[in-house]
Amino acid sequence: MSRRTVLTLAAVCAVAVGTLYFPQAISPLIAAGLGTSPDAASLVVTATQVGYTAGLFLLVPLGDRFPHRPLLVTLLALTGLGLLAAGCAPSLGFLAAAGMFTGITTVAAQIIVPMTAGLVGADRRGAVLGTLLSGSIGGMLLARTFGATLGERLGWRAPYLVAAVLLLLLAAVLAVAVPRTPSPARRPYGALLADSLRMLRSESRLRRSCLYQGAVFGGFSAVWTCAALLLTGPAYGLGPQAVGLLALVGAATMFCTPLAGRMVDRWGPDPVNLVCLLAVLASAAVLAAGVRGGVPGLAALTVGTLMLDIAMQSGMIANQARVLAVRADARSRLNTAYMTCAYLGGSAGSWLGVRVYGRAGWQGVCVLVAALAAVALAHHLTAGRNVARPGSARPGHVVTAERLRRWPSASPSGAGWRRRRAPLGSGRSGR
C-alpha cells in the first residue's frame, strides 16, 4: 500500500468516527431549532451511539465474508445518505432515527484496520496501524470543534450536511484507491455472530477488557454529553463553540497514546489499566470543581477532560492488547465483541449522564464517573492475573515480535509451541 492510500484511509477513519461525536456539541442548537428541551435533544447522541454499537456487532464481521472495497464503499455511501436525511429532519424523532441509522453504518474504521493489517508487510504494520489510529483519535477530538463552530454560524443542520458530502466524496475515492482483495472464506453469517458471543462467554481476559473499557467509556460519554449542557447553562452562559474549544485540549492525547503503547509492550496491559483507572478517579475529582463557573471552573474542566481523555485512550490500547493476545486466529471476532461492549457502555453512559445531570447537576455526573471507575478498579484489583505468554511468570505480559525472536520455543511456528498445544494423549506433537 502506498503512503497516499494509507493517508486516505486515515482520513476515512477520522470522518467516520467524527460523525459519532459532533452531535454532542450541537445538542443545545438542535433543541432550539426543533423547539424541544436540551435533555430531549441529547437523545440524538444516545441514538447514534446505540446504532454504532449495533453496527459493530452486526456489520463488522462482514469483513470476514465480503471483499473489502465494495463493502467499504457501500457503508460510506449509506452513512452519507443517513447524514443527509438527518440534516433535513423535520422533527426530533426523525432526527433520532436518522442518527441511529448513521451510527449503524459508520463502522468503516473497524473494517479498515484489519483489512490494512493484511495488506502491508510485518515490517510496516505497526507504523501503518498507528497512522490509522491517529486518524480515528483526531476525528473524535476535532469533530466537536467542527460541529460547534459550523453549527453556531450556519445552524445545527450544517454539520450533518457537510459531513454527508465528505463521506460521499470519500466513498467515490475509495472505489478507486482501495486495492482489490480476494474474497474471504464464505463462512455463514450466523456463525460469525455466534463466535463473538461464544468467546465473550469463554474468554475471561476478553470479559475483563470489556468491563474496563465499557465503564471508562461510559463515564467519558457522560462527561462530554453533559459538558454542552453545563457550558451553555446558567453557570457559564457560553455558546456551543465553547464545547469545541474545550475538546481541542484533548489533542494532546494523540501524543500520549504512543507512549502508552510502549508501556504496554514493556510491562503488559494490567499496570497500564491500573494507572488509567486511577487517573479516571482523579479526573472525576478535578471535574467536580467545574461547577464553580468562571475562570477557576473552566480551568478545572480543561484539566479534568484532558486527564479523562488520556486515561480513556491509553486504557483502550491496554485492553485491546489483552484482547488481541487471546487468539491470533480470531482477532476480528474478538475485536467485534470488545468494541460492541465498549460502545454499549458509552451509550449507557450518555443516557445515564443526562438523567443524572437533570436530577443532581454536574456534580452528580462526576460522581457517576467515579462510581464507574471504582467498579472497574475493584474488579481489576481482585481479578486473577492471566499469563498471556506460555511459560511467562509476568502477569498480563504481551508478546511482541522482538520477544518471539529472542525466545524461539514461544514462536507459533516453533516445535516448543506445538508440543505445548498438543492435546493430551494425542501422541502427536504437531497438532
Side-chain angles (χ1 to χ4, degrees):
M1 295 182 70
S2 67
R3 180 171 177 80
R4 180 182 300 177
T5 302
V6 173
L7 293 176
T8 301
L9 293 174
V12 172
C13 291
V15 177
V17 171
T19 60
L20 298 171
Y21 292 97
F22 75 76
Q24 292 178 343
I26 61 172
S27 59
L29 296 175
I30 293 173
L34 295 178
T36 186
S37 67
D39 289 357
S42 65
L43 292 176
V44 175
V45 178
T46 303
T48 303
Q49 292 181 341
V50 169
Y52 186 67
T53 304
L56 286 172
F57 182 73
L58 297 173
L59 298 184
V60 170
L62 294 178
D64 292 334
R65 182 175 171 86
F66 296 109
H68 292 114
R69 183 162 72 178
L71 178 60
L72 286 171
V73 171
T74 301
L75 288 175
L76 290 178
L78 289 174
T79 304
L81 293 176
L83 289 168
L84 283 176
C88 301
S91 65
L92 182 63
F94 189 96
L95 178 58
M100 180 171 288
F101 176 83
T102 300
I104 291 173
T105 58
T106 187
V107 294
Q110 300 303 326
I111 295 174
I112 286 173
V113 169
M115 176 197 75
T116 306
L119 290 175
V120 299
D123 58 331
R124 292 183 59 208
R125 189 168 296 150
V128 169
L129 294 182
T131 302
L132 297 180
L133 179 60
S134 296
S136 297
I137 294 175
M140 182 182 70
L141 296 175
L142 298 178
R144 301 183 188 96
T145 304
F146 156 79
T149 303
L150 200 61
E152 194 166 14
R153 294 184 179 181
L154 302 177
W156 69 266
R157 299 180 187 273
Y160 283 101
L161 298 176
V162 171
V165 172
L166 286 174
L167 279 169
L168 291 174
L169 288 174
L170 287 172
V173 171
L174 288 193
V176 178
V178 173
R180 288 185 180 273
T181 56
S183 298
R186 289 299 186 95
R187 294 198 63 193
Y189 177 64
L192 294 175
L193 299 184
D195 281 349
S196 296
L197 295 175
R198 190 178 300 114
M199 285 185 286
L200 258 179
R201 185 175 64 250
S202 62
E203 300 292 348
S204 61
R205 284 178 289 171
L206 173 60
R207 292 195 301 272
R208 286 178 61 197
S209 296
C210 291
L211 172 63
Y212 300 162
Q213 195 62 27
V216 173
F217 193 51
F220 175 88
S221 298
V223 165
W224 281 107
T225 300
C226 297
L229 304 177
L230 176 67
L231 291 174
T232 58
Y236 289 93
L238 301 174
Q241 192 171 1
V243 183
L245 293 175
L246 181 63
L248 281 178
V249 178
T253 307
M254 300 176 66
F255 304 100
C256 296
T257 47
L259 175 61
R262 290 194 292 271
M263 291 174 63
V264 170
D265 285 339
R266 183 171 182 180
W267 302 108
D270 282 357
V272 176
N273 272 138
L274 177 61
V275 173
C276 291
L277 293 173
L278 292 173
V280 174
L281 284 172
S283 72
V286 175
L287 286 167
V291 76
R292 298 169 58 185
V295 174
L298 280 176
L301 290 177
T302 301
V303 175
T305 53
L306 178 60
M307 291 173 62
L308 183 60
D309 284 2
I310 293 174
M312 194 274 289
Q313 295 293 348
S314 299
M316 171 76 80
I317 295 173
N319 290 320
Q320 280 194 317
R322 183 186 295 108
V323 167
L324 296 179
V326 172
R327 278 181 56 186
D329 63 329
R331 285 179 177 146
S332 294
R333 282 160 283 168
L334 287 165
N335 195 48
T336 296
Y338 168 70
M339 294 301 296
T340 299
C341 291
Y343 274 89
L344 278 174
S347 302
S350 294
W351 185 84
L352 281 173
V354 172
R355 275 138 192 83
V356 170
Y357 186 85
R359 296 188 178 186
W362 180 251
Q363 289 183 326
V365 175
C366 296
V367 171
L368 174 63
V369 174
L372 290 171
V375 169
L377 181 61
H379 185 278
H380 183 69
L381 294 176
T382 58
R385 301 304 176 91
N386 294 320
V387 179
R389 186 181 72 175
S392 172
R394 291 173 61 186
H397 200 68
V398 176
V399 180
T400 64
E402 180 62 28
R403 292 191 181 106
L404 284 175
R405 284 193 291 270
R406 287 193 232 136
W407 187 34
S409 64
S411 170
S413 62
W417 176 277
R418 290 196 295 272
R419 284 193 296 272
R420 265 184 284 270
R421 291 188 59 85
L424 291 175
S426 67
R428 294 178 1 178
S429 63
R431 291 292 291 174

